[in-house]
Structures are given as structure tokens and as C-alpha cells.
Amino acid sequence: MNKTMEGLYSLLYLTLILTILFSLHTQIAHKLLIGHHPLHLKKSPHLPLRFSSDGTFKILQVADMHYGTGVLTSCKDVLASEFHYCSDLNTTHFLKRIIEAEKPDFIAFTGDNIFGSSTPDAAESLLRAFAPAMESGLPWAAVLGNHDQESTMTRLELMSFISLLDYSVSQTNPSVEDASSAAKGDTITDIDGFGNYNLRVYGAPGSHSANRTVLDLFFLDSGDREVVQGVKTYGWIKESQLRWLHGVSKGYQDQKEDCHLLEGASPSATPTHCALAFFHIPIPEIRQLYYQKIIGQFQEGVACSSVNSGVLQTLVSMEDVKAVFMGHDHKNDFCGNLEGIWFCYGGGFGYHAYGIAGWSRRARIILAELEKGEKSWMGMERIRTWKRLDDEKLSKLDEQVLWELHHAK
């Protein structure tokens, strides 16, 4: 009898152990074994970037989303009647509305995409902030601002993560495929910052420039904060970045007759590349625009670095950059011209970012247009911009021409 009971106890004990092991397996094995997870491969947009068959390429600029955690992150500087139901979800809704209304070809996020101090998980915040862009299936790219890295990821980790998201064409470091000293596909590592890169936009399908770059989009990391001679200041675009930028532009020098492919030109003739630049922190010269004619609102001081690294001089010497698009100062949404180059603020987009109560959050649209030849689209003819407000009608305002071929001749 005793032996029978001992055997029964042993069987029950063994059964209990097996039950516990099975329970542990079902609860944690999926976390330990990759094979139990459906693998997610990055979804990529149709590349290369190119003008549409109607001869246009439309860019949506999103500046300063300041995304936190979602529904639990409250809004800043909204009317008292809006505060109790306002959150990051308002930012998400605005982004979805503007994508649907404007139907851009490309989205450019110009920094402070997340507000690092308001989220305990930078990766989760980035996924939520960029979700409407990823869901749209449109190609998009981003640079960092001065707040993105204030959570759980470094600037390198942030840009690496962003570059791996669905439909993102962002890059951590620039490609050196145009440099004769390096193999195609390599990346430059001896450059300051993370998120310096160039995206090429090809001509319309079936046109003379279908296999040529018509428009370049330069993205630059303007940094976050620095200490200069014991004094804190904002970051700036460094000399190494400007050398890279000028080097890319220099590679096009033989093609720079104008931003236009003349009809009937020889096959060896190619259009000069027009270019646009995107970064977060404005350069010091923007302050000069307070005393000049601008289009839009100049409502706060320019929060820039105390260091002037010569960005404006570099851009002017390149000759192809027609406009620059920035963020950082949310209450400013103007465009102003410095030495032939337009500098435009995006205006505050996000609801967790500071602003002005009653002054609608906004986005900027940039439209590049090709010239129509007798038989085909040719080179660049015009660059226009306007803003959309997050109001009931997505009001459009301050439409202007930034550059036009025939005026530039």
C-alpha cells in the first residue's frame, strides 16, 4: 500500500512539473524563439523618387510634431474649450487629414518629431508619430531636432531606427556613391551628426529627364545643444557637413547651365539640378528678415546657435539651392529671401508643441513643376509653396512662387 501511494505521489509530482513546464513554454517561448514571430520586412516605396506624369512633385513639410505617448499626452497652448479632449491624437488626425487632402508625393519631417522628455519609450513614440506616413505608403524622410534624443535613444539610434521604418527613405549617414574615392554603396562616417543625406528626384516618366536627376533634396542634421566658451547654445551645421554638401553639389557643376533641359539639346546636355534643403534649427541670418519683406508671420525671436558656421555662404556658392525649409520656432511660419535663397518655416504642426492659443497648427506644402515642351516634359520651371491650417476647411494661405525659370534667367 505504501509503495502504491509513493508511486501515485511520484506520478502526481511528475505531472505537476510537466504542467508547469508546458505553461512556461506557452507563455514565454514566443518571446524567445524568432520562429514563433511573423517576420516583418520593411515595406519600401517605389524608387527612385520621380515627378508625376503631370509634371509635378509635391512635398508635405511637417515641422515639430513633438509627439509624446498618444492619447495621454496633453496639448499645449490651445483654447480652454479644446484642452480637455486634446492630445497627441489631434496631431495624428491632422497628419492624416493633410495627407488625404493634398495627396503629396513625398513627406519631409523637419525635426522634433517626438518630445523626448514626454515619452518613456522613444521607439514607441516614433512609431506612433510616423504611423500616418507609414500607413499612407508614401515615401518619407526625416531629420532630427533638438528634442528627439531626450528619451531612451541616442541620435544615432534614432536615425537608424527611422531609416528602418516602412516607406522611409531616411539615411543615417550620406552615401558616397558620387565620390570617386569610395565604392558605390558605401557611407560616409567622418561627418558630424546623423541624418545628413541627399535624395534625388528624377524627371517625369517618358520625358527627356526620366533617367536624370531634376531636383535634389538635401537633409542636414543641425544638432541639438552645445556649449561654446562655457555658454549653452543651440547646435549648428558643422564644417564637415558643409564640405560634404558642397562636394555633392560640385559633382553637378558641369550640368549647371540652368534648372532647365532645353528642348532639342544634344543627348550629352543635361539640366542643372535645382535643390531644396531641409533642417531643423534656423541659421543666424534669419534674424535679418525681421527688417525685410516676408510672406507669413514673424512672431517670435529666432532661436539659433551663437555660432555662424557659414551655411548661407555655402548654399549661395552652390548656386542650385533655391529654398530651405526649417522648423524649431513654432510661432514663425514665414518665408524670406536671403541672397537669392528663400528660407521658410514650416510653422508648428504638433499639438504637444508650444504655440499660440487660437492660432491654428499648420503644415507647409512645396510644389515643384516641370516645363512643358512640345513633346515631353523638360526641366524645372517653377517652385511654389503654401500653408494649410488645421481648421475646419484646412484653409490655404500665403501661396507664393519661390523660384521660376524665366525670372531666373
Side-chain angles (χ1 to χ4, degrees):
M1 183 69 176
N2 290 337
K3 290 184 178 180
T4 302
M5 291 300 293
E6 289 176 1
L8 181 60
Y9 287 144
S10 297
L11 180 61
L12 290 173
Y13 182 73
L14 181 60
T15 302
L16 178 61
I17 295 298
L18 291 173
T19 302
I20 293 173
L21 290 174
F22 179 77
S23 177
L24 289 172
H25 173 78
T26 56
Q27 291 180 38
I28 70 173
H30 70 284
K31 299 180 182 178
L32 301 176
L33 299 176
I34 295 176
H36 286 205
H37 261 310
L39 291 177
H40 177 78
L41 298 178
K42 175 183 174 178
K43 297 177 182 177
S44 298
H46 295 294
L47 295 175
L49 300 176
R50 67 168 60 252
F51 278 74
S52 301
S53 56
D54 66 355
T56 65
F57 186 78
K58 183 185 285 187
I59 301 170
L60 165 62
Q61 181 199 1
V62 178
D64 298 272
M65 285 194 292
H66 278 232
Y67 212 90
T69 59
V71 68
L72 298 180
T73 301
S74 62
C75 296
K76 295 181 180 179
D77 297 324
V78 295
L79 297 174
S81 59
E82 302 170 330
F83 181 79
H84 293 293
Y85 57 85
C86 187
S87 71
D88 276 337
L89 299 188
N90 290 63
T91 302
T92 298
H93 182 60
F94 182 25
L95 186 50
K96 289 181 178 180
R97 287 182 74 205
I98 198 71
I99 290 173
E100 182 179 352
E102 283 287 357
K103 296 178 174 55
D105 300 297
F106 178 79
I107 307 172
F109 294 93
T110 51
D112 281 0
N113 310 295
I114 63 174
F115 194 62
S117 60
S118 292
T119 175
D121 188 336
E124 183 65 29
S125 183
L126 288 169
L127 287 170
R128 293 183 179 185
F130 293 131
M134 293 188 284
E135 292 167 3
S136 74
L138 296 169
W140 60 275
V143 292
L144 301 178
N146 54 292
H147 288 299
D148 293 280
Q149 79 292 335
E150 294 174 344
S151 181
T152 56
M153 300 173 78
T154 65
R155 294 178 77 81
L156 171 58
E157 291 168 340
L158 287 164
M159 280 309 305
S160 298
F161 186 79
I162 290 171
S163 71
L164 295 174
L165 296 180
D166 286 345
Y167 303 107
S168 170
V169 291
S170 309
Q171 298 174 27
T172 304
N173 282 315
S175 169
V176 292
E177 60 181 1
D178 296 316
S180 59
S181 60
K184 184 175 182 180
D186 286 351
T187 56
I188 295 175
T189 55
D190 58 341
I191 184 171
D192 288 282
F194 302 99
N196 304 291
Y197 53 99
N198 174 34
L199 299 177
R200 301 177 177 186
V201 185
Y202 287 68
S207 69
H208 292 304
S209 55
N211 297 315
R212 299 185 180 120
T213 307
V214 175
L215 178 68
D216 280 295
L217 308 178
F218 293 118
F219 292 81
L220 294 162
D221 181 6
S222 56
D224 48 270
R225 289 186 179 273
E226 305 265 357
V227 177
V228 178
Q229 296 180 346
V231 180
K232 291 183 179 180
T233 186
Y234 282 110
W236 65 90
I237 296 169
K238 307 292 177 38
E239 183 181 349
S240 63
Q241 297 166 274
L242 296 178
R243 281 199 307 269
W244 164 76
L245 185 64
H246 196 273
V248 173
S249 178
K250 186 171 174 55
Y252 299 141
Q253 288 299 325
D254 292 339
Q255 303 170 2
K256 290 184 177 179
E257 295 296 329
D258 204 338
C259 294
H260 180 54
L261 175 61
L262 296 175
E263 189 175 20
S266 65
S268 61
T270 55
T272 299
H273 297 73
C274 284
L276 306 174
F278 300 84
F279 50 82
H280 182 69
I281 299 175
I283 61 175
E285 289 89 345
I286 300 300
R287 291 170 172 164
Q288 301 172 14
L289 294 172
Y290 186 79
Y291 306 99
Q292 299 179 27
K293 181 179 179 181
I294 58 173
I295 298 177
Q297 301 297 314
F298 198 140
Q299 300 180 118
E300 68 172 303
V302 177
C304 60
S305 175
S306 62
V307 175
N308 190 328
S309 60
V311 174
L312 179 59
Q313 291 88 338
T314 298
L315 296 178
V316 170
S317 69
M318 289 166 58
E319 299 180 352
D320 54 2
V321 176
K322 307 305 176 187
V324 174
F325 301 93
M326 316 162 295
H328 194 52
D329 301 325
H330 312 168
K331 300 177 186 178
N332 293 338
D333 72 345
F334 64 83
C335 288
N337 195 292
L338 292 169
E339 299 189 35
I341 299 175
W342 284 93
F343 286 80
C344 298
Y345 279 104
F349 189 97
Y351 279 83
H352 187 52
Y354 76 83
I356 302 174
W359 196 63
S360 299
R361 266 55 176 188
R362 58 204 58 214
R364 182 170 291 281
I365 309 298
I366 305 122
L367 183 68
E369 301 172 283
L370 300 177
E371 184 176 16
K372 183 69 173 178
E374 291 184 9
K375 299 180 180 180
S376 172
W377 292 109
M378 299 192 295
M380 286 282 298
E381 181 178 41
R382 187 180 301 108
I383 300 170
R384 294 190 287 138
T385 187
W386 59 88
K387 290 165 294 193
R388 289 281 190 181
L389 306 185
D390 189 23
D391 57 15
E392 184 178 352
K393 298 181 180 179
L394 283 175
S395 300
K396 181 179 180 180
L397 74 161
D398 292 338
E399 183 171 2
Q400 67 180 106
V401 174
L402 297 175
W403 176 85
E404 196 161 21
L405 171 68
H406 301 294
H407 289 171
K409 284 184 175 179

